[in-house]
Amino acid sequence: MPLRSLYPEDDHNRVRPILRAAFASLKFIKEFCSVRDELFLDTVNPTNEAKVWSFWPHLEHLALYNVDVASSKFLIALRRCEGLTKLVLTRPDGLEMSIEDSDFPPLPHLQLIKIVNTAEGHRQWPLFRRLTWRSCFLGRILTESPHFSPANYMAEPAAAAQGAMAKLFNINVPIPAGREGYEAEVCQEWVRNHAVDGSLWELHGAPISRDMEETPLC
């Protein structure tokens, strides 16, 4: 459903409030995948409306496309989803942005976070090359682990695959021949296909580590 094909300012027939109410009523949903956006159901612009998926108390697995992980609305919504254990973020924005301590919610329930992108897309947003890596979204997820040791992690990237730190993964989506320049569409199709066959939540990919990010940019 292309929710961004009709923006709030163009919704003269008030279709979006109906869609928002319908999605908000899905109280018993446990898994949800939005392939082409972040489940964009705002009815006015600008808005302070909460993310609709934050109204689903039984939500365990969530996949979103191109969400801003540093936005306060996203972080507030995550805080509300106390049963959420697996989060798949495809080509997210805001990975490099610092988040204040007061804005970042405790997320002890999250067991697995997967970032889906092409290999080149991953290398454009390196985590450990930034001096402020601990204050960005992925850095905060990592350092909030009760077993986290900055010295050990920076010295031994393999630790990312052990214990409580084994929750952050990158998934590289291959670009088929002839699809260069269509990275967004290829990633969306990859997520859709794996969501349909049920494998999206089980695939881990590669643990996010310094070794991975030391690969030179092409």
Side-chain angles (χ1 to χ4, degrees), residues 4 34-40 42 51-53 62-78 84 87-97 99 113-117 125 137-138 188:
R4 289 192 177 274
S34 183
V35 173
R36 296 182 60 181
D37 61 27
E38 74 285 20
L39 191 57
F40 177 60
D42 295 351
K51 298 294 185 183
V52 167
W53 45 267
L62 176 66
L64 301 171
Y65 178 80
N66 199 221
V67 67
D68 182 357
V69 298
S71 71
S72 59
K73 287 179 62 177
F74 174 72
L75 296 173
I76 290 171
L78 277 186
L84 187 65
L87 180 62
V88 178
L89 302 172
T90 305
R91 294 169 59 87
D93 287 336
L95 288 176
E96 79 286 6
M97 301 298 295
I99 302 171
I113 300 176
K114 292 178 273 193
I115 308 298
V116 178
N117 208 333
W125 307 110
F137 178 75
L138 295 180
Q188 291 170 354

Side-chain angles (χ1 to χ4, degrees), residues 45-183:
N45 185 25
T47 182
N48 59 358
E49 294 169 304
K51 298 294 185 183
V52 167
W53 45 267
S54 69
F55 299 141
W56 301 335
H58 300 283
L59 186 64
E60 298 177 2
H61 302 162
L62 176 66
L64 301 171
Y65 178 80
N66 199 221
V67 67
D68 182 357
V69 298
S71 71
S72 59
K73 287 179 62 177
F74 174 72
L75 296 173
I76 290 171
L78 277 186
R79 183 186 295 120
R80 294 185 58 176
C81 295
E82 296 181 353
L84 187 65
T85 60
K86 296 182 180 180
L87 180 62
V88 178
L89 302 172
T90 305
R91 294 169 59 87
D93 287 336
L95 288 176
E96 79 286 6
M97 301 298 295
S98 294
I99 302 171
E100 296 295 329
D101 291 346
S102 58
D103 293 333
F104 195 82
L107 303 170
H109 48 283
L110 268 179
Q111 300 172 5
L112 192 66
I113 300 176
K114 292 178 273 193
I115 308 298
V116 178
N117 208 333
T118 62
E120 180 66 19
H122 283 305
R123 288 196 291 267
Q124 289 177 359
W125 307 110
L127 174 60
F128 294 106
R129 291 187 196 173
R130 302 180 184 279
L131 295 177
T132 57
W133 70 268
R134 288 183 180 85
S135 65
C136 70
F137 178 75
L138 295 180
R140 288 197 175 277
I141 293 290
L142 178 63
T143 56
E144 286 209 348
S145 164
H147 304 289
F148 174 76
S149 166
N152 290 343
Y153 192 83
M154 298 302 285
E156 186 181 355
Q162 301 173 4
M165 289 184 286
K167 61 164 50 178
L168 301 180
F169 293 87
N170 277 347
I171 293 180
N172 288 339
V173 177
I175 300 294
R179 299 294 303 277
E180 296 83 1
Y182 293 90
E183 288 80 3

